[in-house]
Amino acid sequence: MTAAPKPRQTRQRTEILSALAAAGDFRSAQQWHDVLRHESSTVGLATVYRALQSLAESGEVDAVVTDSGETLYRRCEAGEEHHHHLRCRRCGAAEEIDVPDFEDWAAKLARKHGYSSLDHTVEITGLCTVCARSSD
Amino acid sequence: MTAAPKPRQTRQRTEILSALAAAGDFRSAQQWHDVLRHESSTVGLATVYRALQSLAESGEVDAVVTDSGETLYRRCEAGEEHHHHLRCRRCGAAEEIDVPDFEDWAAKLARKHGYSSLDHTVEITGLCTVCARSSD
DNA sequence: TTGGTATTGATAATCATTGTCAATAAGCAA
DNA sequence: TTGCTTATTGACAATGATTATCAATACCAA
């Protein structure tokens, strides 16, 4: 197993974390990079990619992959349970939803099939009211 | 709405369909292209991409996006209900699973939030028994 | 403070996927 | 069947997100 090597606390990492904390929605690495640049930060794009990636692995941020293959990141409130989203595939708006009993159910099912180290993705997408109206 | 323009029945499209029918697992466009080439087909890679894409849109094949952003395609048995999978993230093995009441539940929830044109992804991943054993 | 080393950032490289466009071949009408 | 219109094809260039490279820099433990 990979014993978590504990990342150093750098200026860049701090800035990225506060950007994440300030805006609560899903954005791509490039978008977060833009945000930081507009706040006169000098973080490099590669650094943003690396930070978001490691934060996602350690569970400190949520990550979803869009249909086009882009990865979006969002802050994950501390102490919050693992959760799921209802997302607009047009504008990206996301609402947190609660999937009753899903966790338990998934664990049980996987065990039955002999699977371990579980993970899962539940993504419900659609068109939000605004986007649905403008798509006729 | 986009009125389905009905695709022509070409040699390439037929070959792709039979490859899909012959092997029932999830593979990327490039992998399907390899399969076809090994069967002495001359289909171009771009054509495979285009065919799989249109087949996925019309619901004739299942498509899933992996964590790395790759899109995998698999035949979708005619007459079969929309379904979900338990997939090994190491070797790619997939088993069809039944998610009780999920469809209904998702539709109801989305309606409550005003979302339309629903779609959803439920992917449960883990390590199958074989891969779990070899990963210590 | 200092040394060892993780991190950074500019940029090149990768890799899946899409666009381009002339050549080809469905499918329809006569 | 023949000819014609137009979707489809395929080789290859282009895109776009992400990753690798590597010298310079900055944590942080001693």
Side-chain angles (χ1 to χ4, degrees):
Chain A
M1 282 290 127
T2 39
K6 184 173 79 164
R8 285 183 184 174
Q9 177 186 328
T10 67
R11 172 178 59 78
Q12 293 79 343
R13 204 167 279 245
T14 304
E15 289 177 352
I16 292 170
L17 257 331
S18 27
L20 270 284
D25 50 344
F26 275 109
R27 308 202 184 170
S28 69
Q30 318 224 32
Q31 289 177 310
W32 286 118
H33 179 247
D34 283 347
V35 169
L36 288 162
R37 283 307 175 96
H38 285 152
E39 295 174 351
S40 61
S41 166
T42 61
V43 259
L45 178 57
T47 301
V48 175
Y49 270 104
R50 285 184 289 236
L52 289 174
Q53 190 175 270
S54 87
L55 288 168
E57 271 167 24
S58 66
E60 296 174 70
V61 304
D62 283 339
V64 301
V65 180
T66 69
D67 289 352
S68 64
E70 242 187 339
T71 304
L72 305 181
Y73 301 90
R74 202 191 74 157
R75 75 153 179 253
C76 184
E77 331 253 354
E80 206 176 334
E81 279 279 305
H82 174 72
H83 50 253
H84 306 286
H85 302 100
L86 169 60
R87 193 156 49 83
C88 175
R89 75 168 71 93
R90 181 75 59 84
C91 69
E95 329 211 6
E96 225 160 83
I97 58 178
D98 183 47
V99 188
D101 307 322
F102 185 82
E103 319 284 333
D104 291 344
W105 174 83
K108 200 172 303 174
L109 177 98
R111 205 177 312 124
K112 187 166 67 185
H113 285 271
Y115 277 56
S116 54
S117 299
L118 288 202
D119 193 8
H120 64 261
T121 306
V122 175
E123 275 286 310
I124 305 182
T125 60
L127 291 180
C128 68
T129 42
V130 180
C131 291
R133 189 162 322 149
S134 63
S135 71
D136 294 318
Chain B
M1 281 289 128
T2 40
K6 183 173 81 164
R8 286 182 185 175
Q9 178 186 327
T10 67
R11 172 178 60 77
Q12 293 80 341
R13 203 167 279 246
T14 305
E15 290 177 353
I16 293 170
L17 257 331
S18 27
L20 270 288
D25 51 343
F26 276 109
R27 307 202 186 171
S28 69
Q30 317 224 32
Q31 288 177 311
W32 285 118
H33 180 246
D34 283 346
V35 169
L36 287 163
R37 284 305 176 96
H38 285 152
E39 293 172 352
S40 61
S41 164
T42 61
V43 260
L45 178 57
T47 301
V48 175
Y49 271 103
R50 285 184 287 237
L52 289 174
Q53 191 175 269
S54 86
L55 288 169
E57 271 167 23
S58 66
E60 295 173 71
V61 305
D62 284 338
V64 300
V65 180
T66 69
D67 288 352
S68 64
E70 242 188 338
T71 304
L72 305 180
Y73 301 91
R74 203 191 74 155
R75 74 153 180 254
C76 183
E77 332 253 352
E80 205 177 333
E81 280 278 307
H82 174 72
H83 51 253
H84 306 285
H85 301 101
L86 171 59
R87 193 155 50 82
C88 175
R89 76 169 70 93
R90 180 74 59 84
C91 70
E95 330 211 6
E96 226 161 82
I97 58 177
D98 183 48
V99 188
D101 307 322
F102 185 82
E103 319 285 333
D104 291 343
W105 174 84
K108 198 172 305 173
L109 177 98
R111 205 177 311 124
K112 187 165 67 184
H113 285 269
Y115 277 55
S116 54
S117 299
L118 288 202
D119 192 8
H120 64 260
T121 306
V122 175
E123 275 285 312
I124 306 182
T125 61
L127 292 179
C128 68
T129 42
V130 180
C131 291
R133 188 162 326 152
S134 63
S135 72
D136 293 319

